Amino acid sequence: VQLQASGGGLAQAGGSLRLSCAASGSIFSIRSMGWYRQAPGKQRELVATITSGESAKFADSVKGRFTISRDYVQNTVTLQMNSLKSEDTAVYYCTALVSGSYTDYTNYWGPGTQVTVSS
């Protein structure tokens, strides 16, 4: 299974960016998809996840500013980031909990995409 992210880049504080991630490969079912981020010198942290039942979870720091959505046909997840702050600057990682036809659920990670917010 491969995760390919797109979007990200540079934005000004108060602006918006959108991250998308597509899962491909031997996929039977995706239980959840989401995003984590890691800022320099900090641990990787949850940003937002969404399950196949449309249950979404957000970090307190992004609630009300970020939204997450899934396309179950394209196996994609999109993170819409609004009202960006400088503290949102980080490398963002897509993640997906995927099962194959004969395999149990495994957590996969994308390669990371940089988001930089200038103040």
Side-chain angles (χ1 to χ4, degrees), residues 37-109:
R37 68 186 180 188
Q38 187 167 18
K42 295 188 176 182
Q43 290 187 328
R44 190 174 296 188
E45 63 175 3
L46 168 75
V47 178
T49 60
I50 183 168
T51 69
S52 56
E54 293 288 301
S55 176
K57 180 190 297 184
F58 295 90
D60 288 342
S61 59
V62 307
K63 284 180 181 177
R65 301 189 296 122
F66 291 11
T67 60
I68 189 168
S69 60
R70 278 181 63 179
D71 183 319
Y72 296 91
V73 175
Q74 301 294 327
N75 286 332
T76 60
V77 61
T78 298
L79 183 71
Q80 178 66 42
M81 304 183 291
N82 299 325
S83 302
L84 284 164
K85 303 176 180 180
S86 57
E87 50 263 44
D88 294 319
T89 295
V91 176
Y92 284 68
Y93 296 90
C94 175
T95 183
L97 190 61
V98 179
S99 72
S101 297
Y102 304 102
T103 59
D104 204 350
Y105 284 97
T106 301
N107 199 49
Y108 293 90
W109 293 91

Short mmCIF file of all heavy atoms in Angstrom, two decimals, residues 37-109:
data_model
loop_
_atom_site.label_atom_id
_atom_site.label_comp_id
_atom_site.label_asym_id
_atom_site.label_seq_id
_atom_site.Cartn_x
_atom_site.Cartn_y
_atom_site.Cartn_z
N ARG A 37 1.31 15.43 12.32
CA ARG A 37 2.32 16.41 11.96
C ARG A 37 3.46 16.38 12.97
O ARG A 37 3.29 15.98 14.11
CB ARG A 37 1.72 17.82 11.87
CG ARG A 37 1.26 18.40 13.20
CD ARG A 37 0.55 19.73 12.98
NE ARG A 37 0.09 20.32 14.23
CZ ARG A 37 -0.68 21.39 14.31
NH1 ARG A 37 -1.10 22.00 13.20
NH2 ARG A 37 -1.05 21.86 15.50
N GLN A 38 4.61 16.83 12.49
CA GLN A 38 5.78 16.91 13.36
C GLN A 38 6.52 18.20 13.08
O GLN A 38 7.00 18.42 11.95
CB GLN A 38 6.71 15.71 13.14
CG GLN A 38 7.85 15.64 14.13
CD GLN A 38 8.55 14.30 14.09
OE1 GLN A 38 8.43 13.53 13.14
NE2 GLN A 38 9.26 13.99 15.16
N ALA A 39 6.59 19.04 14.08
CA ALA A 39 7.32 20.29 13.98
C ALA A 39 8.77 20.05 14.44
O ALA A 39 9.03 19.09 15.18
CB ALA A 39 6.66 21.35 14.85
N PRO A 40 9.70 20.89 14.03
CA PRO A 40 11.10 20.70 14.42
C PRO A 40 11.26 20.65 15.93
O PRO A 40 10.73 21.49 16.66
CB PRO A 40 11.78 21.95 13.84
CG PRO A 40 10.93 22.33 12.69
CD PRO A 40 9.52 22.02 13.10
N GLY A 41 11.94 19.61 16.38
CA GLY A 41 12.20 19.48 17.81
C GLY A 41 11.03 18.97 18.62
O GLY A 41 11.11 18.91 19.85
N LYS A 42 9.95 18.60 17.97
CA LYS A 42 8.77 18.13 18.68
C LYS A 42 8.39 16.72 18.22
O LYS A 42 8.82 16.25 17.17
CB LYS A 42 7.60 19.08 18.46
CG LYS A 42 7.80 20.46 19.05
CD LYS A 42 6.54 21.29 18.96
CE LYS A 42 6.71 22.63 19.63
NZ LYS A 42 5.45 23.44 19.58
N GLN A 43 7.58 16.07 19.04
CA GLN A 43 7.10 14.74 18.69
C GLN A 43 5.99 14.82 17.65
O GLN A 43 5.29 15.85 17.54
CB GLN A 43 6.59 14.02 19.94
CG GLN A 43 7.68 13.61 20.90
CD GLN A 43 7.14 12.75 22.05
OE1 GLN A 43 6.00 12.91 22.46
NE2 GLN A 43 7.96 11.84 22.53
N ARG A 44 5.83 13.74 16.92
CA ARG A 44 4.74 13.67 15.97
C ARG A 44 3.42 13.67 16.74
O ARG A 44 3.29 12.98 17.75
CB ARG A 44 4.85 12.43 15.10
CG ARG A 44 3.89 12.38 13.92
CD ARG A 44 4.16 11.18 13.03
NE ARG A 44 5.49 11.28 12.42
CZ ARG A 44 5.91 10.44 11.47
NH1 ARG A 44 5.09 9.48 11.02
NH2 ARG A 44 7.13 10.55 10.99
N GLU A 45 2.45 14.43 16.25
CA GLU A 45 1.17 14.53 16.95
C GLU A 45 0.01 14.38 15.98
O GLU A 45 0.10 14.70 14.80
CB GLU A 45 1.05 15.89 17.66
CG GLU A 45 1.06 17.08 16.72
CD GLU A 45 0.82 18.40 17.45
OE1 GLU A 45 0.71 18.41 18.69
OE2 GLU A 45 0.74 19.44 16.75
N LEU A 46 -1.10 13.91 16.54
CA LEU A 46 -2.32 13.78 15.76
C LEU A 46 -2.83 15.15 15.35
O LEU A 46 -2.86 16.09 16.17
CB LEU A 46 -3.38 13.06 16.59
CG LEU A 46 -4.80 13.09 16.06
CD1 LEU A 46 -4.92 12.13 14.88
CD2 LEU A 46 -5.81 12.75 17.14
N VAL A 47 -3.26 15.26 14.10
CA VAL A 47 -3.95 16.46 13.65
C VAL A 47 -5.44 16.15 13.51
O VAL A 47 -6.27 16.80 14.15
CB VAL A 47 -3.41 16.96 12.30
CG1 VAL A 47 -4.19 18.18 11.82
CG2 VAL A 47 -1.92 17.28 12.40
N ALA A 48 -5.75 15.17 12.70
CA ALA A 48 -7.15 14.79 12.50
C ALA A 48 -7.21 13.41 11.88
O ALA A 48 -6.35 13.05 11.07
CB ALA A 48 -7.87 15.79 11.60
N THR A 49 -8.22 12.65 12.25
CA THR A 49 -8.48 11.37 11.61
C THR A 49 -9.98 11.24 11.36
O THR A 49 -10.79 11.90 12.01
CB THR A 49 -8.02 10.19 12.48
OG1 THR A 49 -8.72 10.24 13.73
CG2 THR A 49 -6.53 10.21 12.73
N ILE A 50 -10.31 10.36 10.44
CA ILE A 50 -11.71 10.10 10.14
C ILE A 50 -11.87 8.62 9.82
O ILE A 50 -11.08 8.04 9.07
CB ILE A 50 -12.21 10.98 8.98
CG1 ILE A 50 -13.71 10.75 8.72
CG2 ILE A 50 -11.39 10.78 7.71
CD1 ILE A 50 -14.32 11.80 7.79
N THR A 51 -12.88 8.00 10.43
CA THR A 51 -13.10 6.58 10.24
C THR A 51 -14.06 6.34 9.07
O THR A 51 -14.67 7.27 8.54
CB THR A 51 -13.69 5.95 11.49
OG1 THR A 51 -15.03 6.44 11.66
CG2 THR A 51 -12.87 6.28 12.72
N SER A 52 -14.22 5.07 8.74
CA SER A 52 -15.15 4.71 7.67
C SER A 52 -16.59 5.02 8.06
O SER A 52 -17.45 5.10 7.20
CB SER A 52 -15.00 3.24 7.30
OG SER A 52 -15.17 2.43 8.44
N GLY A 53 -16.82 5.18 9.35
CA GLY A 53 -18.14 5.58 9.83
C GLY A 53 -18.31 7.07 9.95
O GLY A 53 -19.27 7.53 10.59
N GLU A 54 -17.38 7.81 9.35
CA GLU A 54 -17.43 9.28 9.35
C GLU A 54 -17.24 9.88 10.75
O GLU A 54 -17.63 11.02 10.99
CB GLU A 54 -18.73 9.81 8.74
CG GLU A 54 -18.87 9.52 7.26
CD GLU A 54 -17.94 10.37 6.42
OE1 GLU A 54 -18.03 11.61 6.49
OE2 GLU A 54 -17.09 9.80 5.70
N SER A 55 -16.64 9.13 11.65
CA SER A 55 -16.32 9.68 12.96
C SER A 55 -14.97 10.38 12.87
O SER A 55 -13.96 9.76 12.53
CB SER A 55 -16.27 8.56 13.99
OG SER A 55 -15.87 9.06 15.24
N ALA A 56 -14.97 11.67 13.16
CA ALA A 56 -13.75 12.46 13.04
C ALA A 56 -13.22 12.86 14.40
O ALA A 56 -13.99 13.11 15.33
CB ALA A 56 -14.00 13.69 12.19
N LYS A 57 -11.90 12.91 14.48
CA LYS A 57 -11.22 13.34 15.70
C LYS A 57 -10.22 14.41 15.33
O LYS A 57 -9.51 14.28 14.33
CB LYS A 57 -10.51 12.17 16.37
CG LYS A 57 -9.76 12.51 17.63
CD LYS A 57 -8.88 11.35 18.10
CE LYS A 57 -9.67 10.13 18.46
NZ LYS A 57 -8.81 9.05 19.01
N PHE A 58 -10.16 15.47 16.13
CA PHE A 58 -9.24 16.57 15.86
C PHE A 58 -8.42 16.89 17.09
O PHE A 58 -8.89 16.76 18.22
CB PHE A 58 -10.02 17.84 15.47
CG PHE A 58 -10.78 17.73 14.18
CD1 PHE A 58 -12.08 17.29 14.17
CD2 PHE A 58 -10.18 18.08 12.98
CE1 PHE A 58 -12.79 17.18 12.99
CE2 PHE A 58 -10.88 17.99 11.79
CZ PHE A 58 -12.19 17.53 11.79
N ALA A 59 -7.21 17.33 16.86
CA ALA A 59 -6.41 17.89 17.94
C ALA A 59 -7.10 19.16 18.42
O ALA A 59 -7.68 19.91 17.62
CB ALA A 59 -5.00 18.20 17.45
N ASP A 60 -7.02 19.42 19.71
CA ASP A 60 -7.65 20.62 20.25
C ASP A 60 -7.14 21.88 19.56
O ASP A 60 -7.89 22.84 19.36
CB ASP A 60 -7.39 20.72 21.76
CG ASP A 60 -8.17 19.69 22.55
OD1 ASP A 60 -9.15 19.14 22.01
OD2 ASP A 60 -7.80 19.44 23.72
N SER A 61 -5.88 21.87 19.18
CA SER A 61 -5.26 23.06 18.60
C SER A 61 -5.80 23.40 17.21
O SER A 61 -5.59 24.52 16.74
CB SER A 61 -3.75 22.88 18.52
OG SER A 61 -3.44 21.74 17.72
N VAL A 62 -6.49 22.46 16.56
CA VAL A 62 -6.99 22.72 15.21
C VAL A 62 -8.51 22.72 15.12
O VAL A 62 -9.07 23.00 14.06
CB VAL A 62 -6.41 21.73 14.18
CG1 VAL A 62 -4.90 21.70 14.27
CG2 VAL A 62 -7.00 20.34 14.35
N LYS A 63 -9.17 22.40 16.21
CA LYS A 63 -10.63 22.36 16.20
C LYS A 63 -11.20 23.71 15.80
O LYS A 63 -10.76 24.75 16.28
CB LYS A 63 -11.16 21.95 17.57
CG LYS A 63 -11.03 20.48 17.88
CD LYS A 63 -11.57 20.15 19.27
CE LYS A 63 -11.41 18.67 19.57
NZ LYS A 63 -11.87 18.35 20.95
N GLY A 64 -12.19 23.66 14.92
CA GLY A 64 -12.81 24.88 14.43
C GLY A 64 -12.07 25.52 13.27
O GLY A 64 -12.59 26.46 12.65
N ARG A 65 -10.87 25.08 12.99
CA ARG A 65 -10.09 25.65 11.89
C ARG A 65 -9.86 24.65 10.76
O ARG A 65 -9.80 25.03 9.59
CB ARG A 65 -8.73 26.14 12.40
CG ARG A 65 -8.82 27.19 13.48
CD ARG A 65 -7.44 27.78 13.79
NE ARG A 65 -6.53 26.80 14.35
CZ ARG A 65 -5.36 26.49 13.79
NH1 ARG A 65 -4.98 27.08 12.67
NH2 ARG A 65 -4.57 25.60 14.36
N PHE A 66 -9.69 23.38 11.11
CA PHE A 66 -9.41 22.34 10.13
C PHE A 66 -10.64 21.44 9.97
O PHE A 66 -11.38 21.19 10.94
CB PHE A 66 -8.25 21.47 10.57
CG PHE A 66 -6.90 22.15 10.56
CD1 PHE A 66 -6.77 23.51 10.39
CD2 PHE A 66 -5.75 21.40 10.76
CE1 PHE A 66 -5.54 24.13 10.40
CE2 PHE A 66 -4.51 21.99 10.77
CZ PHE A 66 -4.39 23.36 10.59
N THR A 67 -10.84 20.95 8.77
CA THR A 67 -11.86 19.93 8.53
C THR A 67 -11.22 18.78 7.77
O THR A 67 -10.20 18.95 7.08
CB THR A 67 -13.04 20.48 7.71
OG1 THR A 67 -12.57 20.96 6.45
CG2 THR A 67 -13.75 21.60 8.45
N ILE A 68 -11.80 17.60 7.91
CA ILE A 68 -11.28 16.42 7.26
C ILE A 68 -12.42 15.70 6.56
O ILE A 68 -13.54 15.65 7.08
CB ILE A 68 -10.56 15.49 8.27
CG1 ILE A 68 -9.81 14.37 7.55
CG2 ILE A 68 -11.53 14.95 9.32
CD1 ILE A 68 -8.86 13.60 8.47
N SER A 69 -12.12 15.15 5.41
CA SER A 69 -13.15 14.44 4.64
C SER A 69 -12.50 13.29 3.88
O SER A 69 -11.30 13.30 3.63
CB SER A 69 -13.85 15.39 3.67
OG SER A 69 -12.93 15.95 2.76
N ARG A 70 -13.32 12.32 3.52
CA ARG A 70 -12.83 11.16 2.78
C ARG A 70 -13.66 10.94 1.51
O ARG A 70 -14.85 11.23 1.47
CB ARG A 70 -12.92 9.88 3.63
CG ARG A 70 -11.79 9.71 4.59
CD ARG A 70 -11.92 8.43 5.38
NE ARG A 70 -11.86 7.24 4.55
CZ ARG A 70 -11.95 6.01 5.05
NH1 ARG A 70 -12.11 5.84 6.34
NH2 ARG A 70 -11.89 4.96 4.24
N ASP A 71 -13.00 10.40 0.51
CA ASP A 71 -13.65 9.91 -0.70
C ASP A 71 -13.45 8.40 -0.70
O ASP A 71 -12.33 7.92 -0.84
CB ASP A 71 -13.04 10.56 -1.95
CG ASP A 71 -13.74 10.13 -3.22
OD1 ASP A 71 -14.09 8.94 -3.34
OD2 ASP A 71 -13.94 10.98 -4.09
N TYR A 72 -14.56 7.67 -0.52
CA TYR A 72 -14.45 6.23 -0.33
C TYR A 72 -14.27 5.49 -1.65
O TYR A 72 -13.90 4.31 -1.64
CB TYR A 72 -15.69 5.72 0.41
CG TYR A 72 -15.77 6.29 1.79
CD1 TYR A 72 -16.45 7.48 2.04
CD2 TYR A 72 -15.15 5.66 2.86
CE1 TYR A 72 -16.51 8.02 3.30
CE2 TYR A 72 -15.21 6.20 4.13
CZ TYR A 72 -15.89 7.37 4.35
OH TYR A 72 -15.94 7.91 5.60
N VAL A 73 -14.53 6.14 -2.74
CA VAL A 73 -14.32 5.53 -4.05
C VAL A 73 -12.86 5.71 -4.48
O VAL A 73 -12.22 4.76 -4.95
CB VAL A 73 -15.26 6.16 -5.10
CG1 VAL A 73 -14.95 5.60 -6.49
CG2 VAL A 73 -16.71 5.89 -4.72
N GLN A 74 -12.34 6.90 -4.30
CA GLN A 74 -10.97 7.20 -4.68
C GLN A 74 -9.95 6.84 -3.61
O GLN A 74 -8.75 6.91 -3.86
CB GLN A 74 -10.84 8.70 -5.01
CG GLN A 74 -11.74 9.18 -6.13
CD GLN A 74 -11.37 8.57 -7.46
OE1 GLN A 74 -10.19 8.32 -7.73
NE2 GLN A 74 -12.36 8.32 -8.29
N ASN A 75 -10.42 6.45 -2.44
CA ASN A 75 -9.53 6.15 -1.30
C ASN A 75 -8.62 7.34 -0.98
O ASN A 75 -7.39 7.20 -0.88
CB ASN A 75 -8.69 4.90 -1.58
CG ASN A 75 -9.50 3.63 -1.49
OD1 ASN A 75 -10.49 3.58 -0.76
ND2 ASN A 75 -9.10 2.61 -2.21
N THR A 76 -9.24 8.49 -0.86
CA THR A 76 -8.48 9.69 -0.53
C THR A 76 -9.00 10.33 0.76
O THR A 76 -10.15 10.11 1.16
CB THR A 76 -8.56 10.74 -1.66
OG1 THR A 76 -9.94 11.11 -1.85
CG2 THR A 76 -8.01 10.19 -2.97
N VAL A 77 -8.14 11.10 1.36
CA VAL A 77 -8.52 11.90 2.53
C VAL A 77 -8.01 13.32 2.29
O VAL A 77 -6.91 13.50 1.77
CB VAL A 77 -7.96 11.31 3.83
CG1 VAL A 77 -6.44 11.25 3.82
CG2 VAL A 77 -8.47 12.08 5.05
N THR A 78 -8.82 14.29 2.65
CA THR A 78 -8.47 15.68 2.44
C THR A 78 -8.55 16.44 3.75
O THR A 78 -9.51 16.29 4.51
CB THR A 78 -9.42 16.33 1.42
OG1 THR A 78 -9.28 15.65 0.15
CG2 THR A 78 -9.08 17.80 1.22
N LEU A 79 -7.53 17.21 4.01
CA LEU A 79 -7.48 18.07 5.20
C LEU A 79 -7.54 19.52 4.72
O LEU A 79 -6.61 19.98 4.05
CB LEU A 79 -6.21 17.82 5.99
CG LEU A 79 -6.07 18.59 7.30
CD1 LEU A 79 -7.06 18.05 8.35
CD2 LEU A 79 -4.64 18.50 7.84
N GLN A 80 -8.62 20.19 5.04
CA GLN A 80 -8.76 21.60 4.72
C GLN A 80 -8.32 22.41 5.94
O GLN A 80 -8.92 22.26 7.02
CB GLN A 80 -10.20 21.94 4.35
CG GLN A 80 -10.44 23.41 4.06
CD GLN A 80 -9.71 23.88 2.81
OE1 GLN A 80 -9.68 23.19 1.80
NE2 GLN A 80 -9.12 25.07 2.89
N MET A 81 -7.30 23.22 5.77
CA MET A 81 -6.73 23.97 6.88
C MET A 81 -7.01 25.46 6.66
O MET A 81 -6.52 26.05 5.69
CB MET A 81 -5.22 23.72 6.95
CG MET A 81 -4.87 22.24 7.08
SD MET A 81 -3.11 21.94 7.26
CE MET A 81 -2.52 22.39 5.64
N ASN A 82 -7.81 26.02 7.54
CA ASN A 82 -8.15 27.44 7.46
C ASN A 82 -7.61 28.18 8.68
O ASN A 82 -7.21 27.55 9.67
CB ASN A 82 -9.67 27.61 7.41
CG ASN A 82 -10.29 26.94 6.20
OD1 ASN A 82 -9.70 26.91 5.11
ND2 ASN A 82 -11.49 26.40 6.36
N SER A 83 -7.59 29.48 8.58
CA SER A 83 -7.11 30.33 9.69
C SER A 83 -5.78 29.83 10.21
O SER A 83 -5.58 29.67 11.42
CB SER A 83 -8.15 30.36 10.82
OG SER A 83 -9.39 30.83 10.37
N LEU A 84 -4.88 29.59 9.30
CA LEU A 84 -3.59 29.02 9.67
C LEU A 84 -2.81 29.93 10.60
O LEU A 84 -2.88 31.17 10.51
CB LEU A 84 -2.77 28.73 8.40
CG LEU A 84 -3.23 27.50 7.61
CD1 LEU A 84 -2.65 27.52 6.21
CD2 LEU A 84 -2.83 26.23 8.34
N LYS A 85 -2.06 29.28 11.48
CA LYS A 85 -1.20 29.98 12.43
C LYS A 85 0.23 29.52 12.22
O LYS A 85 0.48 28.43 11.70
CB LYS A 85 -1.65 29.67 13.86
CG LYS A 85 -3.10 29.99 14.17
CD LYS A 85 -3.46 29.56 15.58
CE LYS A 85 -4.92 29.88 15.91
NZ LYS A 85 -5.27 29.46 17.30
N SER A 86 1.16 30.31 12.71
CA SER A 86 2.57 29.95 12.55
C SER A 86 2.87 28.61 13.24
O SER A 86 3.72 27.85 12.78
CB SER A 86 3.46 31.04 13.11
OG SER A 86 3.16 31.29 14.47
N GLU A 87 2.14 28.33 14.30
CA GLU A 87 2.38 27.07 15.01
C GLU A 87 1.86 25.85 14.26
O GLU A 87 2.06 24.72 14.69
CB GLU A 87 1.78 27.11 16.42
CG GLU A 87 0.34 27.55 16.49
CD GLU A 87 0.23 29.03 16.84
OE1 GLU A 87 0.99 29.86 16.27
OE2 GLU A 87 -0.64 29.37 17.68
N ASP A 88 1.19 26.06 13.14
CA ASP A 88 0.80 24.94 12.29
C ASP A 88 1.94 24.49 11.38
O ASP A 88 1.82 23.47 10.69
CB ASP A 88 -0.41 25.32 11.41
CG ASP A 88 -1.66 25.58 12.23
OD1 ASP A 88 -1.92 24.83 13.19
OD2 ASP A 88 -2.38 26.55 11.90
N THR A 89 3.02 25.23 11.38
CA THR A 89 4.17 24.87 10.57
C THR A 89 4.74 23.53 11.03
O THR A 89 5.07 23.35 12.21
CB THR A 89 5.26 25.95 10.67
OG1 THR A 89 4.76 27.16 10.10
CG2 THR A 89 6.52 25.52 9.94
N ALA A 90 4.83 22.60 10.10
CA ALA A 90 5.29 21.25 10.43
C ALA A 90 5.34 20.43 9.15
O ALA A 90 4.86 20.86 8.09
CB ALA A 90 4.35 20.58 11.42
N VAL A 91 5.90 19.25 9.28
CA VAL A 91 5.77 18.25 8.22
C VAL A 91 4.52 17.44 8.55
O VAL A 91 4.38 16.93 9.66
CB VAL A 91 7.00 17.33 8.14
CG1 VAL A 91 6.77 16.26 7.09
CG2 VAL A 91 8.25 18.14 7.83
N TYR A 92 3.63 17.35 7.57
CA TYR A 92 2.37 16.65 7.76
C TYR A 92 2.44 15.27 7.10
O TYR A 92 2.86 15.14 5.95
CB TYR A 92 1.23 17.46 7.15
CG TYR A 92 0.83 18.63 8.01
CD1 TYR A 92 1.69 19.72 8.19
CD2 TYR A 92 -0.39 18.66 8.68
CE1 TYR A 92 1.35 20.79 8.99
CE2 TYR A 92 -0.76 19.73 9.48
CZ TYR A 92 0.11 20.79 9.64
OH TYR A 92 -0.24 21.85 10.44
N TYR A 93 2.01 14.28 7.86
CA TYR A 93 2.07 12.90 7.39
C TYR A 93 0.66 12.33 7.26
O TYR A 93 -0.13 12.39 8.22
CB TYR A 93 2.87 12.03 8.36
CG TYR A 93 4.31 12.42 8.49
CD1 TYR A 93 4.73 13.34 9.44
CD2 TYR A 93 5.27 11.85 7.64
CE1 TYR A 93 6.06 13.70 9.56
CE2 TYR A 93 6.61 12.21 7.76
CZ TYR A 93 6.99 13.13 8.71
OH TYR A 93 8.32 13.49 8.81
N CYS A 94 0.40 11.76 6.12
CA CYS A 94 -0.85 11.05 5.90
C CYS A 94 -0.72 9.64 6.49
O CYS A 94 0.35 9.03 6.43
CB CYS A 94 -1.13 10.97 4.41
SG CYS A 94 -2.59 10.00 3.97
N THR A 95 -1.80 9.14 7.04
CA THR A 95 -1.80 7.79 7.58
C THR A 95 -3.11 7.10 7.22
O THR A 95 -4.14 7.75 7.07
CB THR A 95 -1.58 7.81 9.10
OG1 THR A 95 -1.53 6.47 9.59
CG2 THR A 95 -2.71 8.54 9.81
N ALA A 96 -3.05 5.78 7.09
CA ALA A 96 -4.25 5.01 6.77
C ALA A 96 -4.15 3.64 7.41
O ALA A 96 -3.10 3.00 7.38
CB ALA A 96 -4.40 4.88 5.26
N LEU A 97 -5.27 3.19 7.96
CA LEU A 97 -5.36 1.86 8.55
C LEU A 97 -6.06 0.98 7.54
O LEU A 97 -7.26 1.13 7.30
CB LEU A 97 -6.14 1.94 9.87
CG LEU A 97 -6.15 0.69 10.74
CD1 LEU A 97 -4.73 0.33 11.16
CD2 LEU A 97 -7.01 0.92 11.97
N VAL A 98 -5.28 0.07 6.94
CA VAL A 98 -5.72 -0.64 5.73
C VAL A 98 -5.63 -2.14 5.93
O VAL A 98 -4.66 -2.64 6.52
CB VAL A 98 -4.84 -0.24 4.53
CG1 VAL A 98 -5.27 -0.98 3.26
CG2 VAL A 98 -4.86 1.27 4.31
N SER A 99 -6.60 -2.86 5.40
CA SER A 99 -6.50 -4.32 5.36
C SER A 99 -6.50 -4.77 3.91
O SER A 99 -7.13 -4.16 3.05
CB SER A 99 -7.66 -4.96 6.11
OG SER A 99 -8.86 -4.83 5.39
N GLY A 100 -5.75 -5.84 3.64
CA GLY A 100 -5.77 -6.48 2.35
C GLY A 100 -6.79 -7.59 2.34
O GLY A 100 -7.49 -7.83 3.32
N SER A 101 -6.89 -8.31 1.23
CA SER A 101 -7.87 -9.38 1.12
C SER A 101 -7.61 -10.49 2.14
O SER A 101 -8.54 -11.12 2.64
CB SER A 101 -7.85 -9.98 -0.28
OG SER A 101 -8.22 -9.01 -1.23
N TYR A 102 -6.33 -10.72 2.42
CA TYR A 102 -5.98 -11.82 3.32
C TYR A 102 -5.12 -11.36 4.49
O TYR A 102 -4.50 -12.18 5.17
CB TYR A 102 -5.23 -12.90 2.53
CG TYR A 102 -6.01 -13.41 1.35
CD1 TYR A 102 -5.71 -12.99 0.05
CD2 TYR A 102 -7.06 -14.29 1.51
CE1 TYR A 102 -6.42 -13.44 -1.03
CE2 TYR A 102 -7.79 -14.76 0.43
CZ TYR A 102 -7.47 -14.33 -0.84
OH TYR A 102 -8.17 -14.77 -1.91
N THR A 103 -5.09 -10.06 4.70
CA THR A 103 -4.26 -9.54 5.78
C THR A 103 -5.07 -8.71 6.75
O THR A 103 -6.11 -8.14 6.39
CB THR A 103 -3.11 -8.69 5.22
OG1 THR A 103 -3.66 -7.59 4.48
CG2 THR A 103 -2.21 -9.50 4.31
N ASP A 104 -4.59 -8.64 7.95
CA ASP A 104 -5.24 -7.84 8.97
C ASP A 104 -4.93 -6.36 8.74
O ASP A 104 -4.13 -6.01 7.88
CB ASP A 104 -4.77 -8.27 10.35
CG ASP A 104 -5.76 -7.92 11.44
OD1 ASP A 104 -6.72 -7.18 11.16
OD2 ASP A 104 -5.58 -8.38 12.58
N TYR A 105 -5.55 -5.51 9.52
CA TYR A 105 -5.31 -4.08 9.37
C TYR A 105 -3.88 -3.71 9.73
O TYR A 105 -3.35 -4.16 10.75
CB TYR A 105 -6.29 -3.29 10.23
CG TYR A 105 -7.67 -3.22 9.64
CD1 TYR A 105 -8.67 -4.09 10.04
CD2 TYR A 105 -7.97 -2.29 8.64
CE1 TYR A 105 -9.94 -4.04 9.49
CE2 TYR A 105 -9.24 -2.23 8.08
CZ TYR A 105 -10.21 -3.11 8.50
OH TYR A 105 -11.46 -3.06 7.95
N THR A 106 -3.29 -2.90 8.89
CA THR A 106 -1.94 -2.39 9.08
C THR A 106 -1.97 -0.89 8.91
O THR A 106 -2.66 -0.36 8.03
CB THR A 106 -0.96 -3.00 8.06
OG1 THR A 106 -0.96 -4.42 8.21
CG2 THR A 106 0.45 -2.47 8.26
N ASN A 107 -1.19 -0.18 9.75
CA ASN A 107 -1.13 1.26 9.65
C ASN A 107 -0.01 1.66 8.69
O ASN A 107 1.13 1.23 8.87
CB ASN A 107 -0.88 1.90 11.01
CG ASN A 107 -1.26 3.35 11.05
OD1 ASN A 107 -2.35 3.72 10.62
ND2 ASN A 107 -0.38 4.20 11.53
N TYR A 108 -0.34 2.45 7.69
CA TYR A 108 0.64 2.91 6.71
C TYR A 108 0.82 4.41 6.84
O TYR A 108 -0.10 5.15 7.24
CB TYR A 108 0.18 2.58 5.29
CG TYR A 108 0.14 1.11 4.99
CD1 TYR A 108 -1.00 0.35 5.23
CD2 TYR A 108 1.27 0.46 4.49
CE1 TYR A 108 -1.04 -1.01 4.98
CE2 TYR A 108 1.24 -0.90 4.22
CZ TYR A 108 0.08 -1.62 4.47
OH TYR A 108 0.06 -2.97 4.21
N TRP A 109 2.02 4.87 6.47
CA TRP A 109 2.37 6.28 6.53
C TRP A 109 2.82 6.77 5.16
O TRP A 109 3.53 6.07 4.44
CB TRP A 109 3.49 6.51 7.54
CG TRP A 109 3.08 6.25 8.96
CD1 TRP A 109 3.19 5.07 9.63
CD2 TRP A 109 2.52 7.20 9.87
NE1 TRP A 109 2.70 5.22 10.91
CE2 TRP A 109 2.29 6.52 11.09
CE3 TRP A 109 2.17 8.55 9.79
CZ2 TRP A 109 1.74 7.13 12.21
CZ3 TRP A 109 1.63 9.16 10.90
CH2 TRP A 109 1.41 8.46 12.08
#
